[in-house]
């Protein structure tokens, strides 16, 4: 009888530990310092406004009047890799480091590829050419996620 009671009592701490573990696994929050995605910033811009963030996304730069330098959910191109266009909502990138573009796609009319950028996220007034973007990241640091090898 004493053994049965001991066994039942030893299961209580195990069940409590399991409940705590399950509760932490279902958290919807983002841990400080973790990498975000573009859609997290664009869906809740006020939560990140004025904060330093690290974001993964598709970088698209196109020359022209006006030129673009944005971070998007993805990028689409023609079959030959030309005419890169950002997919989804975009974030204007201010001062994107030019040396990072060496490792991205450069078909001739644009530069594009998946990158991780870190910088201060700002949401509100218009950014970029003509103020057409509602969000901006000032980018002191960026790195390519996938590097293109040129032969």
């Amino acid at each position: 009888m004493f053994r049965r009671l001991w066994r039942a009592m030893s299961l209580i701490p195990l069940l409590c530990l399991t409940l705590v573990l399950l509760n932490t696994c279902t958290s919807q929050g983002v841990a400080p310092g973790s990498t975000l995605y573009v859609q997290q910033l664009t869906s809740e811009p006020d939560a990140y406004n004025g904060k330093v963030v690290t974001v993964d996304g598709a970088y698209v730069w196109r020359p022209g009047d006006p030129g673009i330098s944005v971070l998007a959910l993805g990028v689409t191109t023609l079959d030959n890799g030309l005419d890169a266009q950002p997919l989804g909502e975009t974030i204007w990138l201010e001062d994107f480091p030019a040396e990072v573009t060496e490792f991205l796609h450069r078909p001739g009319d644009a530069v594009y590829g998946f990158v991780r950028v870190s910088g201060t996220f700002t949401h509100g007034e218009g950014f970029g050419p003509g103020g057409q973007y509602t969000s901006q990241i000032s980018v002191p640091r960026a790195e390519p996620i996938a590097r293109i090898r040129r032969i």
Side-chain angles (χ1 to χ4, degrees):
M1 171 124 176
F2 181 70
R3 257 186 163 164
R4 217 181 260 175
L5 181 61
W6 174 254
R7 200 177 291 164
M9 295 301 276
S10 65
L11 287 176
I12 291 174
L14 180 63
L15 289 173
C16 289
L17 182 64
T18 303
L19 285 174
V20 169
L21 182 64
L22 286 174
N23 190 31
T24 58
C25 290
T26 59
S27 172
Q28 296 295 322
V30 176
S34 64
T35 302
L36 301 168
Y37 296 100
V38 173
Q39 64 267 32
Q40 287 171 290
L41 289 177
T42 57
S43 65
E44 298 181 69
D46 293 330
Y48 301 101
N49 192 26
K51 296 182 180 174
V52 174
V53 295
T54 300
V55 188
D56 287 352
Y59 172 70
V60 179
W61 174 84
R62 292 179 58 101
D65 187 24
I68 66 168
S69 177
V70 297
L71 192 67
L73 180 62
V75 62
T76 182
T77 66
L78 298 175
D79 288 341
N80 61 3
L82 296 173
D83 194 32
Q85 299 292 326
L87 292 174
E89 291 187 60
T90 56
I91 300 170
W92 178 257
L93 296 180
E94 190 69 34
D95 300 324
F96 188 85
E99 61 273 9
V100 175
T101 64
E102 174 184 332
F103 303 105
L104 303 177
H105 295 279
R106 303 178 77 122
D109 68 338
V111 174
Y112 61 91
F114 287 91
V115 296
R116 177 169 291 137
V117 299
S118 295
T120 304
F121 177 77
T122 310
H123 178 75
E125 297 298 318
F127 301 100
Q132 62 184 342
Y133 300 95
T134 59
S135 300
Q136 167 181 285
I137 299 175
S138 296
V139 185
R141 193 175 75 236
E143 62 182 287
I145 292 175
R147 293 175 180 252
I148 304 304
R149 289 183 58 197
R150 291 178 175 72
I151 300 175

